[in-house]
Amino acid sequence: GEDVEQSLFLSVREGDSSVINCTYTDSSSTYLYWYKQEPGAGLQLLTYIFSNMDMKQDQRLTVLLNKKDKHLSLRIADTQTGDSAIYFCAEKGRDDKIIFGKGTRLHILP
Amino acid sequence: GAGVSQTPSNKVTEKGKYVELRCDPISGHTALYWYRQSLGQGPEFLIYFQGTGAADDSGLPNDRFFAVRPEGSVSTLKIQRTERGDSAVYLCASSSQDGYEQYFGPGTRLTVT
């Protein structure tokens, strides 16, 4: 079945860039997503990319998609303490089901 | 406008009891999804509705779980004979017809004692 993998933890110094990586297995993915979840809060859609794109930029966020390698990344420029959260990678296949990774916990060092 | 709402926000029940979890999607959204999130995990797909019908229920873990959406709006997730392993946060999401942006509710935290 479909699977989404991402590393569990990332520590970054405040002001540096954070890069969170994700790999997926479904070659028929139509959309790929990044969600943010803060402690005790719901899932917030941060950004998404259509599978025929290779890059999308939205203010401090840059998403890169390598469809050949089934690799997705999220870069957060000038990381702030408010960026501390769990970031979930997710992919949507042609069956409209969305499969999530286990999440990457981003920790900001002072 | 109003987002996705879920009630109750917390539910504590005893093992063996029946529970119902409710989801009110964003008005006009035709697609509705249920997920379950256990501690330290990502959301796990349970079931997806397009309108009133379940388009994909392959994620329901067993026949104790059932969901309905009789009028194509509000949905209820029903769990019979609850077990301690059912304890999790149950998330609902909705999206419009084209479905590429899903909006999540705050979730219902279910604790089975």
Side-chain angles (χ1 to χ4, degrees), chain A residues 30-98:
Chain A
T30 54
Y31 290 94
L32 295 118
Y33 303 87
W34 285 104
Y35 283 85
K36 178 182 181 183
Q37 188 173 42
E38 294 177 270
L43 282 159
Q44 174 196 352
L45 177 61
L46 273 183
T47 187
Y48 63 90
I49 189 167
F50 188 46
S51 59
N52 69 353
M53 298 168 64
D54 51 22
M55 180 176 137
K56 181 177 180 180
Q57 186 151 5
D58 184 2
Q59 299 182 347
R60 292 192 297 124
L61 305 179
T62 303
V63 177
L64 295 178
L65 173 60
N66 181 328
K67 199 171 177 185
K68 175 176 163 289
D69 293 339
K70 299 192 189 72
H71 182 269
L72 183 75
S73 69
L74 173 69
R75 178 176 178 269
I76 306 173
D78 186 25
T79 308
Q80 302 298 308
T81 53
D83 295 325
S84 181
I86 300 175
Y87 291 81
F88 291 96
C89 172
E91 62 93 11
K92 183 176 188 180
R94 295 196 186 283
D95 58 4
D96 284 335
K97 210 158 65 174
I98 297 187

Side-chain angles (χ1 to χ4, degrees), chain A residues 42, chain B residues 4-10 89-92 104-110:
Chain B
V4 178
S5 62
Q6 293 185 247
T7 53
S9 55
N10 277 286
V89 175
Y90 288 81
L91 297 166
C92 175
F104 279 80
T108 293
R109 182 176 296 278
L110 175 66

